[in-house]
């Protein structure tokens, strides 16, 4: 995220314009350039639900992929919108591919919340699949009579989707043997790590192609040299109508030469009923091996999903109860330390804002952290930060760097952060 957007986010927080920030955060998630951490967004959404549900009801009951472009809000902070351009000659296919509702995967950030979901699987005797939750660009594709015909960004409105067809065709099989007139396929696209520096150097953009996700969006939306696409990957996790189970779908896709996410199948009887045993089992049998198998693939968790595709579960707005995302252990917040170079104080309309400039730190997502938000003078005072001192901060994928201090910093340093 660039310096301008960091300032925009901080100004909105200082001015308590949380509704504007909520809508903008959803928009930037959609275009693959998050402006807040996942954890911050979850808290923001919770606050909006409690205090402004009626105002933002439409947003709260759909995924951000189905949002209209917030032109007015973007203009208010001086940001030019990115429009989801529709290509000519594909109208009927657009409508067919976009007719299904988009769903988000509900996330949990600790063992206790995960345990409740697993006990539901156990009590309903539902076998399940654990797979890597890839942190890429959701890419919907359509095969017509077995031939690749269309690729779009996720969304329900035909006029509000990116058309990826021409560039997605460079990495997907030209044909797949579906035995169906129309087959919907869904995956996640990303650029492998070694491709990021290659693209930055080739196109002379030292601050571009920051993450695997944002680079993939660039390569899908805008044509690059054909040789560049050796760095773009699409892993498929859904193909409607090819099997009755998730495992059967993955196995079929692999026979067609398509990459799927790393996954493991489990019987419901495998789940320990005792909570303490469950925690040990979950880490040893699911989190550890999925993490190992997923090395080199950008990810932000593990998806637990019912294997029987006929079991629909319960729908709750943009969520459905057949799946859950585990975002802890290897996929929790990342913590870093840096040396303070300068302290920048800026008077806002009401309050003062504080940013710490640090010696550049490269983060796990390949970004460079140079500024840390402390938000207010009181936080700066409590952190005892000064020029030349070492500070600690937390960060999620391509998100804001937030200063750690007080009790949370103590827990990070002694390793007692509870997952």
């Amino acid at each position: 995220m660039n310096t301008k957007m960091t300032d925009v986010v901080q100004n909105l927080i200082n001015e308590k314009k949380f509704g504007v920030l909520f809508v903008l955060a959803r928009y930037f998630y959609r275009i693959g350039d998050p402006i807040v951490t996942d954890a911050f967004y979850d808290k923001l959404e919770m606050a909006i639900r409690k205090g402004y549900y009626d105002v933002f009801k439409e947003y709260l009951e759909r995924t951000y992929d189905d949002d209209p472009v917030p032109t007015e809000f973007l203009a208010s902070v001086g940001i030019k919108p990115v429009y989801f351009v529709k290509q000519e000659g594909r109208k009927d296919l657009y409508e067919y591919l976009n007719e299904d509702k988009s769903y988000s995967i509900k996330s949990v950030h600790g063992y206790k919340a995960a345990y409740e979901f697993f006990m539901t699987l156990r009590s309903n005797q539902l076998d399940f699949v654990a797979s890597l939750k890839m942190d890429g660009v959701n890419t919907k594709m359509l095969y017509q009579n077995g031939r690749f015909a269309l690729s779009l960004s996720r969304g329900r409105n035909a006029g509000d989707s990116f058309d990826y067809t021409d560039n997605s065709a460079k990495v997907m099989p030209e044909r797949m043997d579906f035995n169906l007139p129309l087959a919907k396929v869904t995956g996640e696209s990303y650029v492998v790590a070694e491709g990021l520096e290659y693209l930055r150097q080739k196109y002379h953009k030292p601050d571009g192609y920051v993450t695997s996700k944002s680079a993939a969006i660039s390569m899908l939306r805008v044509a690059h040299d054909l040789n560049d696409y050796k760095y773009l990957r699409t892993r498929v996790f859904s193909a409607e109508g090819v099997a009755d189970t998730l495992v059967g779908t993955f196995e079929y896709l692999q026979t067609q030469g398509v990459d799927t996410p790393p996954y493991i199948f489990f019987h419901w009887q495998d789940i320990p009923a005792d909570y303490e045993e469950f925690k040990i089992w979950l880490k040893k049998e699911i989190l550890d091996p999925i993490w190992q198998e997923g090395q080199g693939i950008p990810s932000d968790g593990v998806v637990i999903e019912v294997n029987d595709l006929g079991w629909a579960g319960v729908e709750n707005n943009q969520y459905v109860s057949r799946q859950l995302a585990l975002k802890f252990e290897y996929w929790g917040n990342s913590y870093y330390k840096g040396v303070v170079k300068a302290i920048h104080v800026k008077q806002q309309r009401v309050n003062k804002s504080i940013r710490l400039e640090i010696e550049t730190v490269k983060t796990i997502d390949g970004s460079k952290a140079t500024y840390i938000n402390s938000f207010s003078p009181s936080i700066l005072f409590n952190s005892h930060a000064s020029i030349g001192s070492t500070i600690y901060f937390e960060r999620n994928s391509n998100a804001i760097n937030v200063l750690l201090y007080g009790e949370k910093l103590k827990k990070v340093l002694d390793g007692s952060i509870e997952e």
Side-chain angles (χ1 to χ4, degrees):
M1 184 176 60
N2 59 40
T3 302
K4 181 177 182 180
M5 282 312 305
T6 300
D7 290 339
V8 166
V9 171
Q10 187 164 321
N11 289 342
L12 291 173
I13 292 173
N14 291 338
E15 296 174 10
K16 301 187 184 322
K17 294 183 177 179
F18 298 114
V20 177
L21 180 57
F22 173 63
V23 174
L24 289 179
R26 292 168 64 89
Y27 166 78
F28 279 96
Y29 266 128
R30 184 174 187 187
I31 66 172
D33 190 17
I35 58 173
V36 297
T37 66
D38 290 350
F40 183 92
Y41 178 83
D42 289 344
K43 292 178 181 178
L44 180 62
E45 181 180 320
M46 187 178 299
I48 295 294
R49 283 185 181 279
K50 288 183 178 179
Y52 304 95
Y53 184 87
D54 290 340
V55 178
F56 293 96
K57 181 179 179 181
E58 286 186 275
Y59 289 90
L60 294 167
E61 294 184 357
R62 67 184 176 214
T63 70
Y64 56 76
D65 294 290
D66 293 337
D67 288 351
V69 178
T71 307
E72 183 178 343
F73 285 165
L74 288 167
S76 71
V77 296
I79 301 297
K80 185 178 179 180
V82 175
Y83 289 101
F84 308 99
V85 180
K86 183 175 179 180
Q87 300 293 329
E88 296 299 325
R90 296 168 180 160
K91 181 179 178 181
D92 293 342
L93 295 181
Y94 265 102
E95 292 176 353
Y96 181 81
L97 192 54
N98 273 314
E99 67 182 5
D100 296 330
K101 180 179 179 179
S102 302
Y103 289 102
S104 296
I105 304 177
K106 184 178 180 180
S107 302
V108 296
H109 301 275
Y111 284 95
K112 289 182 180 179
Y115 178 70
E116 295 176 7
F117 181 80
F118 277 89
M119 289 304 101
T120 299
L121 295 178
R122 183 181 170 91
S123 63
N124 287 283
Q125 300 185 5
L126 294 168
D127 298 335
F128 66 95
V129 175
S131 64
L132 189 71
K133 185 177 184 299
M134 297 164 291
D135 188 20
V137 183
N138 188 282
T139 309
K140 301 189 301 184
M141 292 156 283
L142 190 66
Y143 278 77
Q144 187 173 31
N145 296 319
R147 286 188 174 274
F148 184 87
L150 183 68
S151 179
L152 302 175
S153 65
R154 191 169 70 162
R156 242 185 138 182
N157 301 312
D160 290 339
S161 291
F162 289 128
D163 189 316
Y164 296 151
T165 307
D166 295 337
N167 296 318
S168 184
K170 296 169 184 174
V171 297
M172 289 297 294
E174 180 182 355
R175 292 191 61 88
M176 280 201 271
D177 184 20
F178 286 108
N179 291 320
L180 295 168
L182 291 170
K184 298 177 183 178
V185 175
T186 309
E188 292 274 320
S189 301
Y190 62 93
V191 172
V192 295
E194 60 267 29
L196 298 177
E197 185 59 32
Y198 163 85
L199 292 167
R200 283 192 287 265
Q201 291 187 12
K202 178 173 180 176
Y203 294 100
H204 307 291
K205 293 184 177 180
D207 298 320
Y209 302 101
V210 176
T211 67
S212 295
K213 186 174 186 176
S214 62
I217 286 182
S218 177
M219 296 187 71
L220 286 168
R221 288 186 59 224
V222 180
H224 286 54
D225 291 342
L226 184 60
N227 189 54
D228 297 343
Y229 286 88
K230 65 185 179 184
Y231 296 109
L232 181 66
R233 304 280 191 276
T234 297
R235 288 182 179 263
V236 178
F237 56 81
S238 173
E240 292 185 11
V242 302
D244 295 328
T245 64
L246 187 56
V247 167
T249 300
F250 285 164
E251 291 175 345
Y252 167 79
L253 288 167
Q254 290 167 359
T255 67
Q256 299 298 304
V258 176
D259 289 331
T260 63
Y263 71 93
I264 309 172
F265 169 78
F266 292 90
H267 293 288
W268 65 268
Q269 299 98 322
D270 297 331
I271 307 170
D274 178 77
Y275 177 61
E276 295 302 325
E277 291 181 11
F278 166 79
K279 288 195 296 182
I280 296 171
W281 169 83
L282 181 60
K283 187 171 188 309
K284 180 181 178 182
E285 301 298 332
I286 295 181
L287 302 181
D288 287 353
I290 292 291
W291 170 257
Q292 289 297 326
E293 286 293 317
Q295 294 299 298
I297 305 172
S299 64
D300 58 357
V302 172
V303 177
I304 306 300
E305 183 170 0
V306 174
N307 185 49
D308 180 3
L309 295 177
W311 194 84
V314 178
E315 180 183 335
N316 181 16
N317 296 328
Q318 75 268 39
Y319 301 111
V320 63
S321 65
R322 61 170 286 109
Q323 57 186 192
L324 187 74
L326 311 181
K327 292 191 173 186
F328 51 94
E329 288 289 354
Y330 302 106
W331 300 275
N333 279 13
S334 298
Y335 304 104
Y336 304 91
K337 65 179 180 180
V339 177
V340 178
K341 291 174 59 178
I343 300 175
H344 301 279
V345 181
K346 184 178 181 180
Q347 180 65 53
Q348 304 294 333
R349 187 176 303 174
V350 178
N351 301 315
K352 286 185 178 180
S353 66
I354 310 291
R355 281 203 307 162
L356 304 179
E357 184 178 356
I358 63 170
E359 295 179 4
T360 301
V361 175
K362 189 171 183 180
T363 57
I364 195 170
D365 61 4
S367 302
K368 294 179 180 179
T370 53
Y371 291 96
I372 312 300
N373 293 285
S374 67
F375 298 118
S376 71
S378 62
I379 293 177
L380 178 67
F381 177 79
N382 290 331
S383 70
H384 306 291
S386 60
I387 295 175
S389 67
T390 298
I391 53 90
Y392 292 80
F393 62 97
E394 65 178 335
R395 176 182 178 85
N396 254 358
S397 178
N398 199 32
I400 295 174
N401 307 310
V402 179
L403 184 68
L404 291 173
Y405 66 99
E407 189 63 26
K408 186 165 186 179
L409 175 59
K410 181 178 181 297
K411 289 181 177 180
V412 170
L413 294 177
D414 66 18
S416 61
I417 288 283
E418 182 179 352
E419 297 289 2

